[in-house]
Amino acid sequence: MIFVLLALWASFLTDSLVSKFSQEPPVYSSISHSKELVIDQNFGYTLKTNKKITVLSAEGLGHASVRIFYDKLVQIKGFSLEVIDPATGKTIQKAKMKDLQDAELYDGFSVFADNRQKYYVVNSAKFPIEVHIQTEVYFQSNFSFQPWIPVESTFQKLDEAELAIIYPESIGIRYQEQHLSGNKTEESLADGRKKLVWKEANLPVQDLSIREEDDHRLYIAPKEFKLESFQGSMNDWSELGLWKYKLNEGRDQLPQEFREKILKLVERIDDPYERISVLYAYLQKNFRYVSIQLGIGGWQTMTATDAVKYSYGDCKGLTNLMKAMLEAAGIPAFYTLVYAGEGESDIRTDLPSNQFNHVILRAEIDEQPVWLECTSNSLPAGYLGSFTNDRHVLVVTPTGGYLAKTPSYEESSWNRVENEYFLQLDEKGDATMTMKQHLEGNPAYKAVSISRQLDSRQQRDYFNKNSAISGLVIQDYQFESEQLDSLPIADRTVKGIVQKFAQTTAKRLLLKPFFTKIKLDEIGFKNFDLEETYAIDLPKGVVSEFNLEPLEIKEEEYSIHIENQLKDNQLLVTRKIKVSIKDPKDEDSKKVLISKINSVGYGTYHFTKPSLNQK
């Protein structure tokens, strides 16, 4: 019966998702646009944009609003906007450069930054309207280009799109097409420059489910480039890494007094990993993270001397300082570029280019990596977590760069939860409870992060909110954490009272569902192990109304084993779940999987009390 219900439930969820994504998305606007990107001999480039957007409803007004980003290396040269009533041909609204609003582009964490934006918001109560937009922006460096995306917005119909790139052959460009189906032309101009043109039309309307890897895009990168006075090549990863090394060369020199302090910290430590751990802990305790995004400072590190002087640094500065500290202690370490972010996609490894937004450190023991996130004050040495795990990274060395990959932490040893519950019922159905929880790897680090963000009372509230057992009143809460080399470990003990854990009458006793439910983020690393036991002391003489036989389910991506035993008035329940996801899954598919797992065994236990006249 259980298997039939599971099959029906999975079929219902699958049919619902198919129905959801098979509907044609609505259209809020249509667009025709062209862009011209002209690279000059000084390694700068001008980007001119011309758009016509027909807004069909209020939901499409955001498609016609304008945001232009700038900083010390980017200058806005021109802007014009005109709103037209297509029914009459009359102009409703006009805007020029002076009408643009200006605001800081705040990323939520940078303290020193020069990133700003100018913007204009289009408003209208009448539809349809036509919005004509022209912009011209000059970039002082061709170090990086934004990808060309023909379909600019979701729920938008593309009529036609064109991109023209004009460049000197001595500078050159490289590109990578993704799902483009239109025309591309190439010609040599009379002045020796090259011109490439892409045209796309009538691409499908996209909804919010569109993924970057499925989108229609053109990725662009230079061959030769220059950022302020630093010139380099980007034909392969080695060249880009060499440029980055030269950009920071000589900036890792430690003050002599600080160097002596570092050496004293590790003078009696022979084990290389312990040396790394001691110095990493020193950095975490004594230096704070401050994001700095100022001109070339967004790419070049502050000096190690300044980091020591001010006791702070951004990801580049702290990584550079940690690198210098380790090398002073005889540990090889390499500055490493990564595209960071929770759940972000990996870089395109076959298009060497600037695809990075963060810096970490690769220390080495016998040429094996020990990864360090130098902006964190809580991660153990060698553990990166989900912010930079399972990514290709560019390791920077004095002879060039090379690609490596950070750990995936997908093994079950990095994703383990063990729960032990001891519950004792009273005559009213309330219970006293002691829970002992042991966490390893990613679950442990999440718990450690929560413990650092919340005070003791808030931690209790958080645990209560996420507990599978409703009605819990916590009387005592303890949390401890440690590490086994780079493996985070945490232990939590919770004591309290569970109100109405059981429903009780004169003849029957019902135990409400109490199993821990797996959450979406717990299967984000593909493998997950959950083991839990429940020892529940029951009133004397109760008898189960149903056979307490074991339950075993084995599917391709998960297995569940549940055992029940009633002995000496104690119900002992053991539950083991192993999740092993083979192929990448989107969020909706993971939700279906979790629902199937959590539905197994999550029912009520029925017991019969001894008769009142029984002797």
Side-chain angles (χ1 to χ4, degrees), residues 87 97 101 126 139 160-161 195 205 233 269 290 292 314 340 371 375 397 486 510 517 604:
M97 283 278 288
Q101 299 293 310
K126 180 181 179 180
F139 299 77
E160 57 183 5
K195 181 177 182 179
V205 177
S233 299
I269 301 174
V290 174
I292 302 173
D314 62 3
W371 300 100
T375 64
T397 78
S486 61
L510 307 178
K517 287 192 174 183
T604 302

Side-chain angles (χ1 to χ4, degrees), residues 27-47:
V27 178
Y28 300 149
S29 73
S30 63
I31 185 173
S32 295
H33 61 106
S34 64
K35 290 187 177 183
E36 183 184 67
L37 192 158
V38 181
I39 303 172
D40 58 43
Q41 291 286 356
N42 295 320
F43 299 93
Y45 69 93
T46 299
L47 179 63

Side-chain angles (χ1 to χ4, degrees), residues 30 33 111 210 259 292 318 325 333 336 341 361 367 373 384 406 410 429 486 518 535 572 574 590 592:
S30 63
H33 61 106
V111 175
I210 185 68
R259 180 185 174 87
I292 302 173
L318 294 179
M325 290 165 59
T336 301
L361 190 66
E367 299 185 354
E373 171 54 78
L384 293 175
T406 58
E410 292 178 349
S486 61
I518 292 178
L572 184 63
T574 303
K590 288 180 181 178
V592 172

Side-chain angles (χ1 to χ4, degrees), residues 555-599:
E555 297 290 340
E556 183 179 2
E557 295 184 312
Y558 68 91
S559 65
I560 302 173
H561 180 77
I562 300 175
E563 286 190 1
N564 305 282
Q565 184 179 13
L566 181 60
K567 185 178 180 180
D568 297 330
N569 302 307
Q570 185 182 72
L571 175 66
L572 184 63
V573 183
T574 303
R575 181 184 184 223
K576 296 180 180 180
I577 295 177
K578 288 184 176 289
V579 180
S580 182
I581 300 174
K582 306 302 181 186
D583 300 315
K585 284 183 178 294
D586 58 32
E587 188 167 304
D588 288 296
S589 298
K590 288 180 181 178
K591 287 179 179 178
V592 172
L593 178 63
I594 289 173
S595 295
K596 290 166 68 175
I597 294 172
N598 286 335
S599 66

